[in-house]
Amino acid sequence: MTDDRQTLDRQAREQTARELAALNDRLMAKNHALAEALTRAGKELTKAKSQLSQLAQPPLTFATMVKVDSSRTDEMGVTHASAEVIVGTRRMIVPVAAGLNASRLAAGRTVILNEKMVLVDQRDHDTSGMVRTVTEPLGDGRLVVADAGGNASVVRRASTLASHPFDKGDRVIVEASGRIAVDALPRANDADLVLEETPDVTFDDIGGLDRQIERIRDAVQLPFQHRELYARYDLKPPKGVLLYGPPGNGKTLIAKAVAHALAEGDGFGERSGTPGAGGVFLSVKGPELLNKFVGESERLIRLIFRRARERAADGRPVIVFIDEMDSLLRTRGSGVSSDVETTIVPQFLAELDGVESLGNVMVIGASNRVDMIDPAVLRPGRLDVKIRIDRPNGDAARAVIRHYLTDDLPLEGGVDADALAGVLVRDIYTRSPRRHLADVRDEHGVWNALFLADVTSGASLKNIVDRAKTLAVKASIGTGSDVAIGVDLLARAVEEEFTETRDSLLDADPVQWSRVNGFDAGAVTAIRGVEH
């Protein structure tokens, strides 16, 4: 019995020990979890304190360094410096923090002011700001600069520009107050925007536009040919001509023919036999004038007309040709191009009005979208001669085709070029189902048939003839001898043009397509295909 009791007591003690050990483990685990929770809470509290400290910290202020204003040492040997800075448009004198080396502060650099307006740090100079054009470097290092409107001001140089060699026409970035030039920009390459050229196109190369050519000759040539008669009848030459209409119908060709006539002296005054003695043709790429820094377009417009005046100073006629004029001189307030037209249009009008004193400078503009040009540009006294270059009708189309389909080409026997041109015109201009491109709906919901003839331009006529020539070349390569151009090849060329035109039409946005192709507003609001 004693042994059994002892065994039971031992087992009881062992059980108690196990229970106490398990309880201790549980308490240790709880203590560990509590310690981890306290650690996390401490970290969160530290983070919250840091965030609270950041929120309570006053903001710092950016400024532009001008110069160290003064520096003095007190009786304790501590140096106290102050600096002149620009904050926004305000000039200020601020103290420099004792731990900052004032001798290293440089003009034009960005500096940091604390809440007490003490200069505590220096950064690099800002690389953004207003663009100004240098008109004159001064001997003391300052620069005379001009803004887009030609208004002049004098600016200091940043320390980084102290030894930079500036010339007239260079561009700089000026900080917000307009007092310091902080960076130099690459010189604007204006040469690719205003080309003085002599195209090889003549009026004889243009078919189907006899009436329009006569009008532009009257507008451009007569004033130069008969100055005395214009004076006798108190008649002022027009300052500008606008060539407008659907694309691909000869607007640019006419302008190039004018340029050729100018250079050759054809009806524009006598040539002296020396280079440049004829007229001058300045060609301007309208859209590219907008691909510049804000404010640059106005400067470039002034440059264009200044160059025109320089060329006209010796009495030579000067034509300024602006292609795609609607991209440059859009109606003000239209919201296009970030409303840059609000400054570009007035600048252009001022320059155009200024050429009145020079009777030998004329502007010729070309546009597919005359509806988008600001009305002030088109009023009488400015671009007062307006010539519509429309799609060719049958007779005009025949004249255009005869420029490219000539009798010296390999033609089918017994058929001359004039007869082939007639066949080609009839095929293109037929209003039968075979040349039915699509149906278009107008703003009133009415559907109308659209034929190939409705969208044919001078450029597409040339393209059709070129297609036939290409087919002849490919066939000649296969046979080893010349293959004549005849009715069959021309019919295939028309069919190819018809198919491509139809496919592109069905994939186009109706409203945008109608605008680009010279249709009246509301004439095309939807397009649907037709079965052939």
Side-chain angles (χ1 to χ4, degrees):
M1 293 293 293
T2 301
D3 292 339
D4 293 339
R5 187 177 296 109
Q6 290 176 345
T7 299
L8 292 173
D9 289 344
R10 185 176 69 254
Q11 291 176 344
R13 288 194 299 273
E14 290 175 352
Q15 178 64 28
T16 300
R18 286 193 295 271
E19 291 175 354
L20 290 174
L23 177 62
N24 183 64
D25 289 343
R26 289 195 296 272
L27 291 174
M28 289 291 291
K30 288 183 179 180
N31 286 338
H32 183 68
L34 180 61
E36 287 184 343
L38 289 173
T39 300
R40 287 195 301 270
K43 290 181 179 179
E44 291 296 327
L45 182 60
T46 301
K47 182 179 178 181
K49 287 181 178 180
S50 175
Q51 291 175 342
L52 183 62
S53 175
Q54 289 179 353
L55 291 173
Q57 183 177 355
L60 301 176
T61 302
F62 286 100
T64 302
M65 180 66 190
V66 179
K67 63 179 179 178
V68 175
D69 185 69
S70 62
S71 182
R72 63 181 180 83
T73 305
D74 61 18
E75 62 275 7
M76 302 297 295
V78 178
T79 300
H80 299 276
S82 59
E84 178 184 341
V85 299
I86 299 175
V87 182
T89 58
R90 296 174 56 199
R91 295 175 63 195
M92 301 178 65
I93 302 294
V94 298
V96 179
L100 197 62
N101 187 349
S103 65
R104 302 190 66 174
L105 296 174
R109 297 278 290 273
T110 298
V111 293
I112 305 296
L113 309 181
N114 66 12
E115 73 279 8
K116 297 180 180 179
M117 302 306 286
V118 175
L119 198 159
V120 296
D121 194 12
Q122 179 174 234
R123 306 280 179 87
D124 203 353
H125 67 270
D126 199 353
T127 56
S128 62
M130 301 176 291
V131 177
R132 297 289 182 263
T133 302
V134 176
T135 59
E136 182 184 0
L138 299 177
D140 59 4
R142 294 177 300 161
L143 302 172
V144 180
V145 299
D147 62 13
N151 301 308
S153 60
V154 178
V155 299
R156 300 172 182 266
R157 301 187 192 208
S159 58
T160 53
L161 302 179
S163 58
H164 191 286
F166 282 106
D167 293 320
K168 183 177 180 180
D170 288 342
R171 301 180 302 165
V172 294
I173 295 177
V174 177
E175 47 76 42
S177 73
R179 295 176 177 271
I180 301 178
V182 295
D183 200 5
L185 289 173
R187 193 178 182 92
N189 183 13
D190 303 327
D192 60 338
L193 297 175
V194 185
L195 301 177
E196 188 168 329
E197 58 178 345
T198 305
D200 58 0
V201 178
T202 71
F203 288 117
D204 292 334
D205 296 323
I206 304 173
L209 295 175
D210 295 342
R211 183 178 60 84
Q212 292 87 345
I213 290 172
E214 182 180 0
R215 287 196 63 195
I216 200 165
R217 282 182 178 273
D218 289 347
V220 179
Q221 285 182 272
L222 287 181
F224 298 128
Q225 285 178 309
H226 305 286
R227 296 177 188 267
E228 298 80 5
L229 284 175
Y230 266 68
R232 175 71 180 85
Y233 285 92
D234 192 22
L235 181 61
K236 292 185 177 180
K239 286 189 294 185
V241 177
L242 177 66
L243 305 174
Y244 70 98
N249 288 297
K251 296 184 294 296
T252 303
L253 281 178
I254 288 178
K256 288 183 175 181
V258 171
H260 184 86
L262 277 170
E264 295 299 319
D266 178 17
F268 290 88
E270 296 299 326
R271 296 197 60 166
S272 66
T274 58
V280 177
F281 185 81
L282 301 179
S283 178
V284 180
K285 301 176 182 179
E288 295 190 15
L289 290 182
L290 300 177
N291 298 331
K292 298 290 178 182
F293 295 96
V294 174
E296 282 286 272
S297 297
E298 295 90 333
R299 181 186 70 83
L300 293 170
I301 288 172
R302 292 197 304 275
L303 178 146
I304 291 164
F305 281 91
R306 183 172 68 246
R307 188 174 298 181
R309 291 186 182 93
E310 291 171 353
R311 300 296 189 274
D314 59 358
R316 291 183 296 173
V318 176
I319 299 294
V320 177
F321 174 61
I322 304 177
D323 203 1
E324 298 183 60
M325 182 175 271
D326 51 277
S327 67
L328 180 65
L329 302 173
R330 292 183 185 270
T331 300
R332 284 167 286 186
S334 63
V336 183
S337 304
S338 303
D339 279 342
V340 296
E341 64 271 1
T342 56
T343 55
I344 293 177
V345 171
Q347 184 67 54
F348 175 82
L349 294 177
E351 296 293 339
L352 184 61
D353 292 343
V355 303
E356 188 169 1
S357 59
L358 295 174
N360 50 342
V361 175
M362 184 178 295
V363 174
I364 299 179
S367 173
N368 301 333
R369 298 289 309 278
V370 67
D371 58 303
M372 297 187 68
I373 299 177
D374 193 284
V377 178
L378 303 177
R379 73 167 178 80
R382 287 172 176 159
L383 297 188
D384 36 13
V385 177
K386 302 173 184 65
I387 304 174
R388 181 173 176 84
I389 312 297
D390 218 333
R391 300 185 187 282
N393 58 21
D395 292 337
R398 187 173 186 138
V400 172
I401 291 169
R402 287 292 281 114
H403 272 278
Y404 306 109
L405 189 63
T406 55
D407 288 316
D408 59 348
L409 294 169
L411 303 177
E412 280 187 346
V415 183
D416 62 12
D418 196 58
L420 287 174
V423 172
L424 187 55
V425 169
R426 285 193 295 274
D427 190 5
I428 295 169
Y429 282 79
T430 180
R431 304 188 79 81
S432 68
R434 348 180 253 106
R435 296 293 173 245
H436 185 183
L437 289 169
D439 289 332
V440 295
R441 186 180 64 198
D442 64 20
E443 59 186 346
H444 303 295
V446 178
W447 288 93
N448 298 287
L450 185 75
F451 294 92
L452 182 61
D454 297 323
V455 296
T456 295
S457 66
S460 62
L461 292 172
K462 177 181 183 300
N463 195 41
I464 289 171
V465 176
D466 286 346
R467 286 180 187 273
K469 291 177 179 178
T470 302
L471 291 171
V473 168
K474 293 170 68 174
S476 299
I477 293 172
T479 61
S481 59
D482 289 350
V483 171
I485 298 174
V487 174
D488 290 342
L489 286 185
L490 291 172
R492 286 176 58 188
V494 177
E495 188 62 32
E496 288 181 2
E497 184 76 13
F498 171 81
T499 302
E500 288 191 9
T501 303
R502 180 194 60 198
D503 292 346
S504 64
L505 172 63
L506 295 177
D507 291 335
D509 174 80
V511 175
Q512 184 64 25
W513 178 87
S514 65
R515 288 175 177 173
V516 171
N517 284 274
F519 287 83
D520 294 335
V524 179
T525 60
I527 301 172
R528 70 184 181 192
V530 294
E531 293 185 3
H532 288 277

